[in-house]
Amino acid sequence: GGEGGGGEGGDGSLEDGSYSAQLIHAAWEAIEADAFFCFTALMSEVRDHFCSNLDHTALGITARIERFAGLLAAKAPPLAAALDNIRVAPTFYAFRWISLLMTQELDLPDVLRLWDSLLADERRFDFLLYFCVAMAPATRREMRREMRRRCGGDAAEMR
């Protein structure tokens, strides 16, 4: 044996690569299983968004969208008022944001970072609502462009 605690090869130690390959393989299997567990756990919590019987209960998507609208009005009053003035209900954008957990709005690395935070937070859906509120001003330009396309000049009110 040599110094430093590692093997010198030929005996399944780190130097001959087989031991590290086995570790990587075992770690990959564990990561895959953990990721699948986390995904299914998250999806089981989100399923209430897709159950029409719960739409108008405290657990349903309507209640979450109403909570989002209240937070938006409290945290970004000018934007909320402008959207209300041009009759853009939060349902038009927040439904997709909340029910799809931002997967359609963000690039995959950003989705992974967001989902990591969602999985780590016991109050994940409160966190998601605050995240969506923070995203609303960031998407103001895109919303204005879409409103101009649909409604003409009324989108100028969304400053």
Side-chain angles (χ1 to χ4, degrees), residues 66-84:
E66 288 171 359
R67 179 127 189 272
F68 165 82
L71 286 171
L72 184 65
K75 302 296 182 185
L79 177 58
L83 289 168
D84 190 48

Side-chain angles (χ1 to χ4, degrees), residues 17-157:
S18 64
Y19 183 70
S20 60
Q22 290 171 353
L23 284 176
I24 290 170
H25 180 72
W28 181 253
E29 286 181 355
I31 290 169
E32 185 178 12
D34 289 347
F36 182 76
F37 173 80
C38 290
F39 177 75
T40 55
L42 188 58
M43 291 299 104
S44 71
E45 290 182 48
V46 173
R47 78 172 180 262
D48 292 345
H49 295 167
F50 299 99
C51 183
S52 61
N53 293 338
L54 298 176
D55 278 355
H56 300 287
T57 70
L59 298 174
I61 189 68
T62 302
R64 294 210 195 261
I65 291 172
E66 288 171 359
R67 179 127 189 272
F68 165 82
L71 286 171
L72 184 65
K75 302 296 182 185
L79 177 58
L83 289 168
D84 190 48
N85 286 341
I86 58 174
R87 293 184 177 91
V88 176
T91 305
F92 292 125
Y93 54 96
F95 176 82
R96 184 171 88 172
W97 291 359
I98 295 166
S99 63
L100 300 178
L101 304 174
M102 299 300 289
T103 58
Q104 299 298 300
E105 314 311 313
L106 303 173
D107 293 329
L108 183 59
D110 297 325
V111 169
L112 293 175
R113 175 62 185 99
L114 172 62
W115 282 30
D116 184 56
S117 297
L118 291 175
L119 290 166
D121 193 335
E122 290 180 11
R123 296 178 51 195
R124 60 187 48 87
F125 294 110
D126 289 336
F127 175 82
L128 178 64
L129 292 179
Y130 278 95
F131 185 88
C132 290
V133 166
M135 284 293 296
T139 60
R140 192 175 8 204
R141 185 176 300 133
E142 182 181 325
M143 285 186 202
R144 241 190 318 233
R145 189 171 34 247
E146 182 63 19
M147 290 310 297
R148 273 194 210 108
R149 186 180 73 73
R150 291 182 183 191
C151 305
D154 294 343
E157 296 178 35

